[in-house]
Amino acid sequence: KAGVTQTPRYLIKTRGQQVTLSCSPISGHRSVSWYQQTPGQGLQFLFEYFSETQRNKGNFPGRFSGRQFSNSRSEMNVSTLELGDSALYLCASSLGLQPGTNSYEQYFGPGTRLTVT
Amino acid sequence: QKEVEQNSGPLSVPEGAIASLNCTYSDRGSQSFFWYRQYSGKSPELIMFIYSNGDKEDGRFTAQLNKASQYVSLLIRDSQPSDSATYLCAVNGEESNDYKLSFGAGTTVTVRA
């Protein structure tokens, strides 16, 4: 079974621009979560989608947004990029049915490394 | 704000030894506990998950969970140089509709040949 795929893998943008990242989950998985990883803050949760609905949101500004399509693929968008947005953006997929069960394990994609100059 | 704390590293162990990694969490009602391995420049890879108190073994890895003490650990037996990586502890929230994971800062393990 194919794993989680993310595109693009690398991206260089300028401050003030916007960017869209894409994630395709493992076949059959309906939950997609997005995380930001930086050396200083570690892995931080952005948001989670299940069946096109956002179920949870982390403590990030409104410049960070996402959506999920009917085929479970997800995109996240960052508008008005800042230097501090430079990070590895990871998406993870799971069946997403119930915490505390084996339907909840999250599998990460390879990530998109975003550099803002 | 949920907190997940991991023992500070780096942890250096000789090949063939046992590496012991510890993690504590703040939300008493957390239900799901995961260990991820992350090689430098790569994304996290799920290696163990545990939901019930006690031990869970998978090959050379053993996860131990004690919900009363809010403590989860990972033992790596017969450590190999390929085990050299950063290990991340992750915990889900207390609410039944909380689907996000909170991660610790990670413990970097180096296995000396």
Side-chain angles (χ1 to χ4, degrees), chain A residues 23-35:
Chain A
C23 172
S24 292
I26 293 169
S27 178
H29 284 190
R30 296 162 65 189
S31 168
V32 173
S33 298
W34 288 90
Y35 296 86

Side-chain angles (χ1 to χ4, degrees), chain A residues 35 37 43 45 48 55-56 59 88 90 96-102 104-110, chain B residues 1 31-32 34 36 38 41-44 46 49 51 88 92-93 95-101 103:
Chain A
Y35 296 86
Q37 187 174 34
L43 262 163
F45 172 80
E48 188 260 0
R55 295 194 296 191
N56 289 130
N59 296 323
L88 180 65
L90 294 157
L97 296 177
Q98 183 62 44
T101 71
N102 61 6
Y104 191 65
E105 295 96 72
Q106 296 190 16
Y107 298 90
F108 282 90
Chain B
Q1 179 70 26
Q31 301 177 54
S32 309
F34 305 89
Y36 287 86
Q38 187 172 26
K42 301 294 186 183
S43 63
L46 180 64
F49 55 89
Y51 304 120
L88 298 162
N92 99 298
E95 305 297 327
S96 62
N97 62 350
D98 191 341
Y99 298 95
K100 61 181 179 291
L101 294 181
F103 283 83

